[in-house]
Amino acid sequence: MDLNKIFALFDNKTENKSLTETDNTVVELYEKPLYWVNMFEKLIRNNNVFKLQLKNTFKDDHYDPDMLCEAGDALVYNKAFMFLLLLDLNDEDHRHAIRTRTTYSYLVVALITSMNYFTSTEEYEKCAVIKKILDLAMESLEA
């Protein structure tokens, strides 16, 4: 594994090397709707693991574990939501990515969990975005 190539994905100035064709292919994957849906799902799914790690990391310190978990939730749910904002439900490729992940994954549960979180924080605009995606996901399950 060449660490310089990995770091070059984030900064093409590393050792004055430009990205190779393979590197550009990896970067292009980050620009695909299926990647965005997968990342949303993964962040939500791994949130409980993240909270457990927070509690274990700070268990002997004077930090309030509940406050840390609340902060962790805010970070994770908002970052995951940013991936949903990239989706355009009028674009067939984006709709296909949602249908694909709904068939084989935890996407519906992640969407419902996210909607519950944003309802509890009274961020209803975010709930409206999630609801549209959830409706599409549910349609694909019924088909």
Side-chain angles (χ1 to χ4, degrees):
M1 177 184 335
D2 185 353
L3 290 178
N4 289 329
K5 284 187 177 182
I6 293 172
F7 290 122
L9 293 172
F10 302 102
D11 178 17
N12 355 346
K13 296 178 184 174
T14 304
E15 292 187 22
N16 295 324
K17 293 181 181 177
S18 61
L19 295 176
T20 65
E21 187 174 329
T22 305
D23 296 334
N24 282 328
T25 303
V26 172
V27 171
E28 287 173 11
L29 287 175
Y30 298 147
E31 299 170 357
K32 301 291 183 190
L34 189 56
Y35 172 80
W36 304 329
V37 175
N38 286 336
M39 286 305 297
F40 164 79
E41 180 184 329
K42 183 176 182 175
L43 284 167
I44 300 304
R45 190 171 6 137
N46 290 333
N47 188 38
N48 287 335
V49 173
F50 176 70
K51 288 194 294 190
L52 182 61
Q53 289 172 341
L54 271 177
K55 284 183 179 181
N56 288 336
T57 301
F58 294 105
K59 68 181 173 186
D60 296 329
D61 294 332
H62 59 278
Y63 297 103
D64 178 8
D66 292 331
M67 182 184 73
L68 289 172
C69 287
E70 285 178 31
D73 278 344
L75 287 170
V76 170
Y77 282 102
N78 282 292
K79 178 60 180 174
F81 182 75
M82 298 309 287
F83 286 107
L84 294 182
L85 282 178
L86 297 171
L87 296 170
D88 176 5
L89 297 183
N90 294 320
D91 186 313
E92 185 53 39
D93 287 339
H94 295 222
R95 295 171 65 84
H96 179 70
I98 293 167
R99 286 193 293 267
T100 299
R101 292 306 299 165
T102 300
T103 305
Y104 300 105
S105 73
Y106 177 81
L107 180 61
V108 171
V109 173
L111 290 165
I112 292 170
T113 302
S114 295
M115 205 155 64
N116 289 339
Y117 172 78
F118 288 119
T119 300
S120 73
T121 59
E122 298 182 3
E123 297 179 73
Y124 302 114
E125 301 84 11
K126 292 178 181 177
C127 292
V129 171
I130 295 168
K131 177 71 168 119
K132 290 176 185 175
I133 297 169
L134 179 61
D135 288 346
L136 177 62
M138 294 303 288
E139 284 175 19
S140 68
L141 283 177
E142 294 170 2

